[in-house]
Amino acid sequence: GGAVPFYGRHQAGITTPAQDHLHFVAFDVITEKRGELVELLQEWTAAAARMTQGKSAGPFGPVGGDPQAPPDDTGEALDLPPSQLTLTIGFGPSLFDERFGLADRRPPALVDLPSFPGDALIPEISGGDICVQACANDPQVAVHAIRNLARIGFGRVSVRYSQLGFGRTSSTSYAQETPRNLFGFKDGTANLKLEDAAMLDEHLWVAPGDGPGWMTGGTYLVVRKIRMHIETWDRAPLAEQEAIFGRDKARGAPLTGRDEFDEPDFTKTGADGKPVIAENSHVRLAHPSRHGGARLLRRGYNYVDGSDGLGRLDAGLFFMAYQRDPRKQFIPIQMELARHDALNEYIKHVSSGVFACPPGVTDAGDFWGRALF
Ligand code: HEM
């Protein structure tokens, strides 16, 4: 229930042990004035610094201001603890078009993602100029934060889409138990963890010389809303489910091992002469050994948006992955998965976004993305 520090070298909400709930939002900037955009980022940063510490969005709060004016906080988080709220911002490729004079500051790593085989992307829930990931252990606290950022942004940004998520599908610390996704499998076993500082420097944080200086200490976020065909999955035999991932359902152990954190042995063959971990299994295709050592920090959430009118759950994984360079990490991994993964029979990618997440805000005089402007 405590507070996560807002100021730091890196933004919070990335290596922060994954909280239980998500409210993710993508905004379109509707003002054409660069000055108004900068002012908004300053106002947002101040509000975020307050809300993550369990305070109201503005200094007067839901009931302390002028009764003749709308309150500077909407009130639904009054009396609730900070709940480990983190707010993490990212800038999409479209922010670097001609509108704000930022074209020459676009990092080469902030590529438009290619289309992958099988993509069924819905434009209305893809892209966005700016994203904010709110994570908290209380969904009301996460929703309150995004609602107040949208309220503050009125007239300067509009909400393009937002997504609620629950039951974090990744652990980002060895102190956390690995949770399960909606297919019932442990998810996040072989993930980058905050304790592995050297790995984070290699695979997560943008280093000096990687691209424009304003991104040093930042990272790139790829989000994919992946619908999961729950009812079809639920009719698949257990052995097939386990073969698809290459891991067992009970403990999450590789099919060649016993314990969750055993290394998979891709060379091992069974009595039939075939590899124990199938060629088209998810874990084999996504494994760093297949991608020149590339890794991701996965930080996704389950979602259930009710049902779809045909009696099926409208549910899946809101996949989020942070990385140093999507050209070397997400893109080649997803290309391999999109082409060969046995899981594809049970999933569909319906939305997509890529964002440059600047480094952390150092103190009250700093603001989100200051070095960009
Ligand atoms: C591993 C589920 C989509 C990348 C895993 C594991 C599960 C899983 C159960 C094994 C446990 C673990 O190490 O976390 C899913 C489901 C997906 C999905 C249900 C879609 C609904 C993706 C996508 C990517 C991805 C889109 C990236 C493009 C990875 C990676 C690993 C992994 C890198 C670790 C492989 C290793 O080092 O062993 N996933 N995943 N997954 N997944 Fe996914």
Side-chain angles (χ1 to χ4, degrees):
V4 176
F6 179 72
Y7 299 115
R9 200 155 78 84
H10 306 297
Q11 290 195 73
I14 300 167
T15 58
T16 306
Q19 304 92 325
D20 288 335
H21 294 274
L22 167 77
H23 193 188
F24 178 89
V25 66
F27 293 102
D28 290 326
V29 180
I30 54 174
T31 176
E32 307 232 308
K33 300 201 180 86
R34 180 182 166 119
E36 285 190 6
L37 173 58
V38 172
E39 263 170 40
L40 173 63
L41 290 168
Q42 290 168 333
E43 290 170 34
W44 269 358
T45 307
R50 294 180 56 85
M51 291 191 287
T52 53
Q53 304 310 301
K55 298 180 193 156
S56 55
F60 297 108
V63 294
D66 174 0
Q68 305 311 321
D72 67 13
D73 184 285
T74 53
E76 72 274 27
L78 198 61
D79 311 324
L80 295 178
S83 311
Q84 311 243 276
L85 172 68
T86 55
L87 292 165
T88 313
I89 199 167
F91 303 128
S94 53
L95 193 71
F96 298 86
D97 62 14
E98 67 292 342
R99 285 172 297 167
F100 308 107
L102 298 173
D104 60 344
R105 318 219 61 185
R106 177 172 171 176
L110 185 65
V111 285
D112 295 305
L113 295 180
S115 63
F116 299 96
D119 272 0
L121 306 183
I122 302 164
E124 292 76 16
I125 55 169
S126 295
D129 293 332
I130 301 180
C131 76
V132 181
Q133 169 200 279
C135 295
N137 288 327
D138 181 338
Q140 179 127 336
V141 170
V143 168
H144 167 264
I146 296 300
R147 174 179 173 190
N148 279 271
L149 295 180
R151 181 185 55 75
I152 292 167
F154 182 77
R156 295 174 285 186
V157 289
S158 65
V159 172
R160 183 174 174 84
Y161 70 93
S162 83
Q163 179 68 49
L164 293 174
F166 66 93
R168 64 186 172 83
T169 58
S170 280
S171 48
T172 51
S173 163
Y174 290 110
Q176 290 184 302
E177 189 74 29
T178 313
R180 290 178 189 271
N181 60 36
L182 292 178
F183 284 161
F185 277 75
K186 283 192 172 247
D187 202 335
T189 301
N191 203 15
L192 285 177
K193 307 269 158 103
L194 71 93
E195 291 86 357
D196 298 326
M199 297 273 265
L200 300 182
D201 286 336
E202 190 182 342
H203 299 287
L204 179 64
W205 304 122
V206 175
D210 279 0
W214 69 268
M215 271 298 286
T216 300
T219 182
Y220 295 90
L221 168 64
V222 172
V223 301
R224 307 280 289 185
K225 182 171 180 175
I226 309 174
R227 172 94 187 253
M228 296 175 21
H229 304 305
I230 306 284
E231 293 76 8
T232 323
W233 178 262
D234 293 346
R235 291 193 292 267
L238 175 62
E240 184 193 331
Q241 295 184 359
E242 294 186 327
I244 286 171
F245 286 112
R247 287 184 174 273
D248 91 318
K249 201 168 187 174
R251 282 155 308 169
L255 294 179
T256 53
R258 265 188 348 164
D259 296 317
E260 184 189 349
F261 293 100
D262 289 349
E263 268 303 307
D265 177 359
F266 297 118
T267 61
K268 196 168 173 182
T269 50
D272 57 2
K274 292 194 187 138
V276 176
I277 299 179
E279 295 291 351
N280 62 353
S281 67
H282 185 72
V283 160
R284 179 189 284 266
L285 295 167
H287 196 267
S289 59
R290 195 147 179 137
H291 303 283
R295 288 168 195 271
L296 297 167
L297 186 134
R298 287 173 285 143
R299 213 176 187 287
Y301 286 84
N302 299 322
Y303 75 86
V304 176
D305 296 346
S307 46
D308 66 1
L310 299 167
R312 302 177 301 208
L313 284 180
D314 186 353
L317 171 64
F318 195 71
F319 175 92
M320 296 194 284
Y322 290 92
Q323 58 217 282
R324 184 170 165 186
D325 189 338
R327 294 171 299 180
K328 298 181 187 150
Q329 295 163 273
F330 177 80
I331 293 173
I333 298 173
Q334 174 55 19
M335 202 48 94
E336 190 81 339
L337 293 177
R339 289 197 176 122
H340 305 298
D341 195 350
L343 187 60
N344 291 337
E345 198 180 327
Y346 299 95
I347 63 175
K348 187 165 77 178
H349 288 235
V350 294
S351 95
S352 179
V354 58
F355 300 92
C357 304
V361 174
T362 52
D363 54 44
D366 192 8
F367 64 92
W368 271 335
R370 182 175 49 88
L372 169 60
F373 292 90

